[in-house]
């Protein structure tokens, strides 16, 4: 009896969590007359890929295709992930492995910078980007998202680094390995799963961001996907079929990436919470 | 035998790196350098700029470019904001929204975490996978989907309310035809839907973190308590909660920071920055700075106020985190 109640509660939670995603995909597969019928169909009765064809073959904005925007977003997100992973790993090693004078101050700073409302930084960053001659370029976004994702990435990774037994590094040191060698051959491979997990945060930060992408890029050919979608979505009469198809294509890479790394990510987060 | 041979070895192993570490004292700073430069240049320096801007009257792009003077107004922007009754509305919106969302997210997330811990293996995997979907969905598309669910003509919610028996619908809400009903028009309904969207996005993180915390707690403790006849409520408050206190601490801090700063969901749900009655600090700051006529100085001052509030609210927890640091 109790088991039944627990399972029922589980199903309810699953339904609440997954339904919007299901509804997005389901709507994207319905022909327009089914989408706008007064009675919503739980399952597409005449599934069609027409909305996907419209998105993928046509131009989302005159002259620029969905694929161009997608590529821009991939470029920005992947660069952000790689750079922030590298820098975060170095910093996480410092705070997890060494006791030094500024360690506590650095940790406080990591917490404090996460309280800055990032939208507030639009103007100063915009001026900086202009002065650097990066206005209208994708590197302007890569640089910005690197700054945004780094504090949390360091915070998360230090849990993973702390979880690697010190004895392994010490053994390598006895065998005559230099600090750099120990770092590269012992610590890095063991932290790699944590690095993959951390990368999802940087990826989502870069993949999702809208306001800075809207401000720093004026040239439509360099729009990222969120910006393109906002334009597409903001037309007078929302055409939900193509919008849901675009949303699905936008969401799927994140979901796939996410499901691959979630287990490690969670253990790292909690490790970061309970031990230095 | 083996212990005899191992003991001197480990002792030696402990000694050498310790000595090494003392010698290469500069190494941690070297490792920190790239992160420090990036955070300094991309977060702290602009933050300093925003603080500086908040002391000037900045109303045109040409001032930002440096073509025109920046008139110093001191605390004038702050005085303007704090004396504006609208600021109180915005502050009330922000605080109530954040409090409600942190509470709801924490309660729902914890309950789901406890549930996942009790479910059978297969069921737990299934539910956890579904929960992951909500977590993984980007704020942008997640919000667009909810907007579609609340669409005033073909949305699911409109249909559900239309499907209610007319008499019941009439006596409860005073209307039976919901087609064309603006779900986002009244501030209260808007906030309810925004809460739904934000909680939907953020409870999975809490649930999964609580679950991971529970997994690290020896289950014997719970079993012993249950055998002794303690109610689930008592088991939670007397055993689970104290053991997970550090995890809860961190989760509350992060949720508070995130919920005070909700932006994308509100921006998309409200369709921009026109819906002033539903403003919260983050979007208020952005709207003041950018919607014509631009008031960059005023927007900056609001952002500084928001940051200060977050610092005060979370200062307590920052101290707690640091105390943990010292213990470890």
């Amino acid at each position: 009896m109790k088991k039944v109640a627990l399972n029922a509660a589980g199903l309810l939670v699953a339904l609440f969590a997954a339904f919007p995603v299901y509804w997005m995909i389901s709507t994207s597969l319905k022909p327009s007359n089914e989408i706008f019928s007064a009675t919503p169909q739980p399952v597409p009765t005449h599934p069609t890929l027409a909305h996907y064809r419209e998105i993928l073959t046509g131009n989302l904005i005159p002259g620029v295709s969905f694929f161009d925007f997608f590529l821009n977003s991939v470029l920005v997100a992947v660069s952000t992930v790689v750079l922030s992973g590298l820098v975060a790993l170095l910093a996480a090693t410092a705070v997890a492995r060494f006791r030094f004078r500024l360690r506590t101050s650095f940790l406080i700073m990591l917490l404090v910078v996460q309280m800055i409302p990032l939208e507030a930084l639009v103007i100063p960053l915009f001026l900086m980007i202009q002065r650097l001659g990066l206005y209208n370029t994708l590197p302007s976004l890569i640089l910005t998202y690197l700054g945004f994702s780094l504090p949390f990435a360091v915070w998360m990774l230090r849990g993973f680094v702390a979880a690697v037994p010190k004895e392994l590094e010490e053994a390598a040191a006895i065998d005559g390995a230099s600090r750099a060698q120990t770092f590269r051959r012992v610590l890095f491979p063991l932290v790699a799963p944590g690095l993959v997990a951390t990368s999802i945060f940087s990826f989502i930060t870069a993949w999702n961001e809208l306001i800075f992408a809207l401000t720093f890029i004026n040239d439509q050919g360099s729009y990222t996907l969120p910006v393109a979608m906002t334009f597409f979505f903001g037309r007078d009469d929302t055409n939900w079929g193509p919008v849901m198809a675009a949303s699905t294509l936008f969401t799927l890479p994140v979901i796939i990436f996410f499901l691959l790394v979630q287990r490690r990510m969670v253990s790292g987060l909690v490790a970061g919470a309970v031990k230095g | 035998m083996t212990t005899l041979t191992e003991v001197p070895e480990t002792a030696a192993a402990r000694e050498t790196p310790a000595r090494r570490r003392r010698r290469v004292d500069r190494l941690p700073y070297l490792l920190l350098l790239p992160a420090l430069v990036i955070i300094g240049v991309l977060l702290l320096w602009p933050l300093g700029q925003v603080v500086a801007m908040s002391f000037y009257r900045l109303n045109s792009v040409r001032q930002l470019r440096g073509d025109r003077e920046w008139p110093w107004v001191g605390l004038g922007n702050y005085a303007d904001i704090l004396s504006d009754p609208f600021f109180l509305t915005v502050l009330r919106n922000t605080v109530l929204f954040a409090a409600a969302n942190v509470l709801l997210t924490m309660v729902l997330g914890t309950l789901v975490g406890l549930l996942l811990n009790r479910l059978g293996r297969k069921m737990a995997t299934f539910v956890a996978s579904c929960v992951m979907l909500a977590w993984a969905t980007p704020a942008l598309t997640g919000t667009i989907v909810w907007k579609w669910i609340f669409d005033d003509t073909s949305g699911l919610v409109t249909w559900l309310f239309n499907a209610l028996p007319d008499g019941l619908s009439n006596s409860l809400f005073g209307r039976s035809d919901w087609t064309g009903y603006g779900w986002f028009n009244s501030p209260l309904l808007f906030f309810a839907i925004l809460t739904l969207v934000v909680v939907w996005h953020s409870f999975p993180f809490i649930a999964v973190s609580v679950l991971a915390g529970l997994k690290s707690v020896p289950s014997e403790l719970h079993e012993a308590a249950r055998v002794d006849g303690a109610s689930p409520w008592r088991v939670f408050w007397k055993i689970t909660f104290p053991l997970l206190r550090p995890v809860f601490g961190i989760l509350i801090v992060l949720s508070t920071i995130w919920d005070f700063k909700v932006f994308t969901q509100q921006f998309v749900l409200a369709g921009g920055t026109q819906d002033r009655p539903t403003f919260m600090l983050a979007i208020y700051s952005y709207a003041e700075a950018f919607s014509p006529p631009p008031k960059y100085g005023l927007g900056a001052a609001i952002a500084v106020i928001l940051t200060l509030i977050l610092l005060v609210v979370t200062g307590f927890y920052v101290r707690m985190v640091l105390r943990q640091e010292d213990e470890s």
Side-chain angles (χ1 to χ4, degrees), chain B residues 189-269:
Chain B
L189 256 177
F190 177 86
F191 276 120
I193 297 172
L194 185 62
T195 299
L196 180 67
V197 177
V198 170
V199 170
W200 176 74
H201 261 130
S202 48
F203 88 90
F205 171 71
I206 310 295
V208 173
S209 303
V210 168
L211 176 66
L214 286 171
K215 296 264 191 224
S216 66
V217 170
S219 59
E220 288 80 14
L221 281 173
H222 288 97
E223 274 156 32
R226 230 170 279 139
V227 169
D228 289 349
S231 67
W233 181 253
R234 256 183 89 81
V235 173
F236 178 79
W237 285 113
K238 294 286 168 196
I239 298 175
T240 314
F241 183 75
L243 285 168
L244 293 189
R245 200 193 295 268
V247 179
F248 280 118
I250 285 286
L251 294 177
I252 291 174
V253 188
L254 291 174
S255 306
T256 307
I257 296 175
W258 291 337
D259 289 346
F260 257 95
K261 292 197 305 188
V262 163
F263 187 90
T264 306
Q265 284 100 331
Q266 173 159 24
F267 191 82
V268 175
L269 217 53

Side-chain angles (χ1 to χ4, degrees), chain A residues 165-208:
Chain A
K166 263 192 187 134
E167 287 72 19
L168 287 175
E169 285 166 67
E170 288 165 357
I174 290 173
D175 289 348
S178 70
R179 264 275 155 201
Q181 280 172 324
T182 313
F183 196 56
R184 212 172 52 233
R185 303 242 176 94
V186 181
L187 189 63
F188 186 73
L190 287 167
V191 179
L195 209 52
V196 174
T198 310
S199 62
I200 186 77
F201 269 100
S202 320
F203 183 84
I204 290 187
T205 306
W207 188 255
N208 269 343

